[in-house]
Amino acid sequence: MDLDAVKEHSALHAKPSGLVLQYGTAGFRTKAEHLDHVMFRMGLLAVLRSKQTKSTIGVMVTASHNPEEDNGVKLVDPLGEMLAPSWEEHATRLANAEEKDMPGVLMDISVKAAVNLQQDAFVVIGRDTRPSSEKLSQSVIDGVTVLEGQFQDYGLLTTPQLHYMVYCRNTGGQYGKATIEGYYEKLSKAFMELTKQASCSGDENRSLKVDCANGIGALKLREMEHYITQGLSVQLLNDGTKGKLNHLCGADFVKSHQKPPQGMEMKSNERCCSFDGDADRIVYYYLDVDGHFHLIDGDKIATLISSFLKELLLEIGESLNIGVVQTAYANGSSTRYLEEVMKVPVYCTKTGVKHLHHKAQEFDIGVYFEANGHGTVLFSKAAETKIKQLARELEDKKRKAAKMLENVIDLINQTAGDAISDMLVIEAVLILKGLTVQQWDALYMDLPNRQLKVKVADRQVISTTDAERQVVTPPGLQEAINDLVKKYKLSRAFVRPSGTEDIVRVYAEADSQENADSLAHAVSLAVFQLAGGVGEAPQLGL
């Protein structure tokens, strides 16, 4: 490792003194002007990780659903998954090292991680459409080349497409071709094969309005349109030609404000969906005949897909185990519907995609979606092999069901939540089951809920267990929550500390909105009193 060259190039990407950043689930994110040094250093780190794993590593320049002036970066591990936790620590340490210490820290990481510095390295790079992304991805390339790593710059990609490229490259093309055309061909072929199985399609060319958050999803959906020659036509809105990225649009805006994005003219009972800025989240919605807005979030997406998969498994008589993984934020009605009506087991993990993904890997077929619309379906290697075998061996209806499962395997992006892939799976399932958007929404009624935040002096006074559903400390808080919950029907409540700031998040649900609001407020007061609240005590309705 030529540390003199590293030092020389690093000076061109100097770190602002005193700036401290933390690599989390979303990688690094902050204002774009503070990220040049981080990008250069993540280029260096990607080379070390590639050498250590003897695999291609991905670097994605994006800040997802954040405002346009922000940016960020995250590394993608060999199987298209998130960076290993021990390397998250290396990333944080390297990004925060002062200029003079950085080469030493780099050397220390390579020793601690037992990196063979003679090993070849290959890094693939993608970026979103933010004005700052092109220059920042060039800083990543500078980091890769100074350590003599090989690279391919894919330019503009959705985040899930970069995950796909990494996985394809590290499986020798078994997962698919590591090109943008390979991605479109794989998904479109599976979609058309799947929708061909519909007994009566009725509406030959279903149309769907897609809010692309003025982001990369618009460019990529437009490129993909001519690959899907039947079954679906999409109308792209907020396609980046005029509005700002994620501003008053996108999945996060629609989910948090419970209203349509700007620029979306909706007729009653029209199917609409929103991507987020880097196209790894999707939510659906519609207006009913009375003009009321209905959101169909990740819970209902998981329910639709897992119910469909369970029906296919029953049809072929195969006992592959299927599980749905949720967090404590999943609506209680979705959990009840899955367990009691569909007889699909549900498991709860701590909040955060890495926890959900890890748990979903324990099943033959693991389905997970956060309420925000980020999620996917994971098939174990054994399950994939079995399904493909059955698609060749079974006869008639059973063979058809096995073939449909095989198509789903090809259609879903198993490396990460992927708005384009998830949209195509949802559309295919709606066609095959003959469901309208209203019928899908009516599978179960969400329990009214409320989320609040309480400012505290130190968030670390709160510790939790049971996938964040029970408080361990401070003493007396869980007992107070239990007593409050008993006062309302169909109710539950939990609190958890924020991962980034001194606030405690409160969630409550109950049989009516008034009761959910009242319970959330009462729990907020208990947190304020028992966990060191600061400022004014929480007020009902604020």
Side-chain angles (χ1 to χ4, degrees), residues 56 83 98 165 187 224 250 258 279 302 334-335 387 510:
T56 295
L83 186 62
E98 292 307 330
M165 300 304 173
L187 267 61
M224 191 175 186
Q258 301 274 323
S334 71
T335 313
I387 288 163

Side-chain angles (χ1 to χ4, degrees), residues 307-469:
S307 302
F308 175 67
L309 295 174
K310 176 77 190 281
E311 286 163 9
L312 292 179
L313 288 174
L314 287 171
E315 181 66 57
I316 62 176
E318 194 50 51
S319 59
L320 293 171
N321 71 331
I322 183 168
V324 174
V325 188
Q326 298 182 329
T327 71
Y329 286 105
N331 196 279
S333 291
S334 71
T335 313
R336 269 193 286 279
Y337 177 82
L338 283 164
E339 289 184 330
E340 294 168 17
V341 179
M342 292 311 302
K343 309 290 186 224
V344 173
V346 178
Y347 299 84
C348 191
T349 71
K350 285 165 71 173
T351 306
V353 177
K354 58 184 170 191
H355 302 297
L356 290 152
H357 196 89
H358 185 70
K359 185 69 183 174
Q361 289 173 318
E362 295 177 16
F363 306 97
D364 293 325
I365 305 173
V367 181
Y368 74 84
F369 275 84
E370 292 181 291
N372 64 25
H374 185 282
T376 190
V377 183
L378 302 180
F379 290 82
S380 71
K381 279 282 161 274
E384 276 194 31
T385 306
K386 183 74 178 165
I387 288 163
K388 287 180 177 177
Q389 181 190 349
L390 291 169
R392 289 191 302 273
E393 292 175 358
L394 293 173
E395 294 188 3
D396 304 331
K397 278 176 78 178
K398 287 189 173 190
R399 181 176 185 171
K400 182 177 171 182
K403 189 73 194 144
M404 283 156 80
L405 274 171
E406 189 177 23
N407 294 147
V408 173
I409 290 170
D410 288 336
L411 183 52
I412 203 86
N413 185 347
Q414 294 187 55
T415 65
D418 182 339
I420 294 175
S421 159
D422 292 341
M423 177 191 83
L424 292 173
V425 173
I426 291 161
E427 290 298 313
V429 174
L430 293 175
I431 291 168
L432 289 159
K433 288 173 75 71
L435 288 176
T436 63
V437 68
Q438 307 90 299
Q439 288 168 323
W440 172 20
D441 190 30
L443 289 176
Y444 61 83
M445 294 300 291
D446 275 330
L447 282 168
N449 56 83
R450 176 66 63 208
Q451 295 185 42
L452 296 174
K453 293 187 267 197
V454 182
K455 282 188 179 172
V456 290
D458 178 10
R459 66 183 183 274
Q460 293 179 337
V461 301
I462 298 233
S463 62
T464 63
T465 186
D466 186 26
E468 301 175 315
R469 291 177 291 189

